[in-house]
Amino acid sequence: FKKSIDVAATKTVLSIIDIISILLGQFNAGKLPIDPNGVYTLFFRGDITVTASSSSGALLYWLVDFCGYHAAFRIANGRIIKFVVIGDPSYAVNGEQCEVLSSGTANNNLGADSMVSVYANEIANTITDYNGGWYFNSNGLEAADACFWDFGDYSGNSNMVAG
């Protein structure tokens, strides 16, 4: 399912409340199906400022404090709606902030490589954060964070233990 919404004409700064409002508006208008088993993904251009809040309540900014994030909220019937937010840093003034988290990007394409890396990371973390019960390993990292921004062959041990 694919749906494109252009919010740039009305907003240049989006908070998590704005993003939840956009999703709820689409659900209420019948433009998006409600799927508590799905993960809604919001991609945005680099000229949009996206903010989030830390667990302490501090305001965080895209490309300053994070390159993408995942979250969830409950709708009226108690169902949990999960979503991922990812931006294209190649059009942003400080887009290289996502690249500095690694020694470079896999294909030397800041926009595509960053978005794919962040998307894979956030989807994996969303899936392991089943119904809002966030998973953290003994180092305080979510499931996919231990190998985030690692490109190329890997022959070491897994950061996960099954069973």
Side-chain angles (χ1 to χ4, degrees):
F1 184 79
K2 180 175 105 175
K3 176 74 178 165
S4 177
I5 305 164
D6 186 2
V7 296
T10 57
K11 292 194 98 53
T12 57
V13 178
L14 293 174
S15 69
I16 191 168
I17 300 300
D18 294 322
I19 290 168
I20 291 170
S21 295
I22 289 167
L23 286 170
L24 288 173
Q26 295 299 301
F27 295 150
N28 293 336
K31 295 180 178 180
L32 272 180
I34 296 174
D35 182 358
N37 296 316
V39 177
Y40 296 88
T41 303
L42 294 91
F43 294 98
F44 61 92
R45 300 186 321 243
D47 59 344
I48 303 289
T49 299
V50 175
T51 64
S53 296
S54 71
S55 58
S56 67
L59 191 60
L60 306 173
Y61 290 90
W62 178 63
L63 294 183
V64 175
D65 302 299
F66 64 90
C67 295
Y69 71 90
H70 60 284
F73 63 95
R74 288 188 187 273
I75 56 177
N77 62 10
R79 292 182 179 169
I80 295 174
I81 302 297
K82 298 170 282 297
F83 65 94
V84 170
V85 179
I86 299 163
D88 179 355
S90 64
Y91 293 101
V93 173
N94 59 342
E96 68 281 351
Q97 181 63 25
C98 287
E99 186 179 11
V100 300
L101 294 173
S102 71
S103 59
T105 67
N107 300 297
N108 296 316
N109 183 325
L110 175 62
D113 290 344
S114 293
M115 290 178 77
V116 167
S117 182
V118 172
Y119 184 61
N121 175 273
E122 297 302 337
I123 286 293
N125 286 337
T126 300
I127 291 167
T128 58
D129 292 348
Y130 184 71
N131 287 338
W134 311 122
Y135 166 86
F136 295 98
N137 69 15
S138 60
N139 295 323
L141 298 173
E142 291 180 280
D145 291 346
C147 56
F148 193 35
W149 296 104
D150 290 338
F151 299 111
D153 294 335
Y154 182 73
S155 60
N157 294 323
S158 170
N159 66 329
M160 301 295 294
V161 176

